[in-house]
Amino acid sequence: MSDRQGPESVPLTGNNILSNTTVTAVYFYGDGCTHCETVQPLLDELRQKYPNLHLELLEVYHNTTNQQTFVEMNRQYNTGNSGIPVIFIGDQALVGETEIKDHFEERILAEEQRTAPCTSNAPALSNLQHENCSPATSLSVPVVTVSALADSSNPCALSVLIFLLVSIAAAENRKRILLAGGLYTAAVFLFHLLLGIGFLSMISLSGLSEPFSLIGATIAFILGAITIFDVVKNTDRFTFAIADSGKGLIGRYVRTASLPAAFVLGILAGLFGFSCTGGIYIGILALMGRSLTLATGLSWLLLYNLIFILPLVIVTLLFAFGLSPERADEWKTNNRRTLRLIIGLIMIGLSAIIFLGLLG
């Protein structure tokens, strides 16, 4: 769908007061496409005029990866389009040379104002910017970092790792501890990364980003509220924990204490332990799904999951270089309520961010 009117209040000037705001657009073209060739001079001009414009150029005639991305983005934007040239910018798709020539510059300026920081001192900003100044309604590095750090304190994943390393530390050397901990951590990382890729792919293929975001925010809120209630209730058993059946299966692999078993344990910890803090990841994925395709969201997924496994890496290194297993288990036990309270608050905070973005 295209915005044929354009924001009339935006002055067409290359010296815009918001020119320090990065604007991202994706341009699909084909080698030898005559319509693409007619818009190329305009694109060159606008890239010179707006240094803050990041225009990603994707050729679709000879690149199968770009072809797949093109199909995914058309589905997400619900354009019903199969031709080129096309530019995707913000929540708009400019289809064909006429729309690109008539409206691309307007969309650049509109995106500058839409994504401008709320703390900007620039005078006479349009209402478009102020409407987007509700607290933290978009994906950002701080939001992803804080969420991943909270999720990484997952008592379930840490518990399984500690049990595994305790069983190895009693009789094995440092190299064995590092290998086992590394394989376990790698398996946890791959499980969560593939889960995120699957979720974003499903959203991209369906084109239903807002309904999925709403469902994700609702799940995150419910899980967060139950987690906080468990902490306040001060019981010894938490609602979201590894089920007894899962503990039995995990225990068998822990007693094996082999390197292949360590990798399998990482998958099982991700699978059974997702109930512990899965609401945080669901919330982040829902936030990503609002505006990102799989291609544009992959870097965010990698960032989140690299931060997520940091505690597992640290615990493995501490064990390998002399940390007492008893001290690690004692710290986990003494702080599990605090960790779960933080996790619950993060889940509710993420759901609030998504609801504000959808309803604001």
Side-chain angles (χ1 to χ4, degrees), residues 160 242 245-255 265 268-269 272:
V160 176
I242 297 178
S245 58
K247 290 179 181 178
L249 181 59
I250 287 173
R252 288 198 294 272
Y253 279 97
V254 167
R255 287 189 292 273
L265 277 170
L268 293 176
F272 292 119

Side-chain angles (χ1 to χ4, degrees), residues 66-330:
N66 292 346
Q67 291 169 9
Q68 182 179 357
T69 303
F70 179 60
V71 172
E72 289 179 359
M73 294 196 73
N74 274 302
R75 284 175 178 166
Q76 181 180 352
Y77 281 75
N78 194 28
T79 62
N81 172 63
S82 59
I84 51 176
V86 179
I87 291 179
F88 297 95
I89 177 170
D91 60 354
Q92 300 292 324
L94 303 179
V95 181
E97 59 180 293
T98 301
E99 286 195 0
I100 292 174
K101 289 179 178 180
D102 292 347
H103 300 298
F104 187 32
E105 186 168 21
E106 294 174 355
R107 296 314 310 166
I108 294 171
L109 293 165
E111 279 299 295
E112 282 183 340
Q113 293 203 358
R114 188 184 70 81
T115 59
C118 297
T119 55
S120 173
N121 295 321
L125 294 180
S126 73
N127 292 333
L128 184 59
Q129 180 193 352
H130 296 295
E131 290 172 358
N132 287 278
C133 285
S134 52
T137 57
S138 62
L139 196 68
S140 65
V141 172
V143 169
V144 171
T145 301
V146 171
S147 300
L149 286 174
D151 198 3
S152 68
S153 62
N154 182 340
C156 301
L158 286 173
S159 295
V160 176
L161 177 62
I162 290 172
F163 292 150
L164 171 66
L165 295 181
V166 165
S167 66
I168 292 176
E172 303 288 350
N173 57 29
R174 179 180 299 169
K175 180 179 179 181
R176 185 81 170 181
I177 293 173
L178 290 172
L179 285 173
L183 284 170
Y184 175 89
T185 301
V188 172
F189 174 81
L190 286 174
F191 175 84
H192 281 82
L193 180 63
L194 292 175
L195 186 68
I197 289 174
F199 187 90
L200 281 185
S201 298
M202 181 173 61
I203 294 178
S204 296
L205 291 173
S206 69
L208 302 174
S209 59
E210 289 201 3
F212 274 109
S213 296
L214 184 60
I215 293 171
T218 302
I219 293 174
F221 179 84
I222 293 173
L223 296 182
I226 294 175
T227 300
I228 293 174
F229 178 76
D230 281 346
V231 173
V232 173
K233 194 169 59 172
N234 199 32
T235 60
D236 292 329
R237 189 174 181 84
F238 294 95
T239 302
F240 300 117
I242 297 178
D244 291 338
S245 58
K247 290 179 181 178
L249 181 59
I250 287 173
R252 288 198 294 272
Y253 279 97
V254 167
R255 287 189 292 273
T256 302
S258 66
L259 295 182
F263 188 85
V264 174
L265 277 170
I267 301 296
L268 293 176
L271 183 63
F272 292 119
F274 195 71
S275 61
C276 293
T277 58
I280 292 181
Y281 200 28
I282 290 172
I284 283 293
L285 290 173
L287 197 57
M288 291 181 184
R290 285 185 55 211
S291 57
L292 302 178
T293 63
L294 176 59
T296 56
L298 187 58
S299 58
W300 288 102
L301 285 175
L302 288 170
L303 172 64
Y304 183 94
N305 285 288
L306 286 172
I307 296 172
F308 175 77
I309 63 170
L310 274 179
L312 303 179
V313 173
I314 293 171
V315 168
T316 299
L317 292 174
L318 290 176
F319 261 80
F321 291 93
L323 175 68
S324 165
E326 292 76 15
R327 285 187 61 188
D329 193 53
E330 180 184 0

Side-chain angles (χ1 to χ4, degrees), residues 42-77:
L42 173 68
L43 300 184
D44 294 339
E45 176 187 340
L46 293 179
R47 292 170 78 183
Q48 290 289 327
K49 189 174 183 180
Y50 300 96
N52 58 319
L53 172 64
H54 175 70
L55 183 61
E56 186 175 2
L57 309 177
L58 300 180
E59 201 280 332
V60 297
Y61 282 171
H62 307 101
N63 189 305
T64 55
T65 301
N66 292 346
Q67 291 169 9
Q68 182 179 357
T69 303
F70 179 60
V71 172
E72 289 179 359
M73 294 196 73
N74 274 302
R75 284 175 178 166
Q76 181 180 352
Y77 281 75

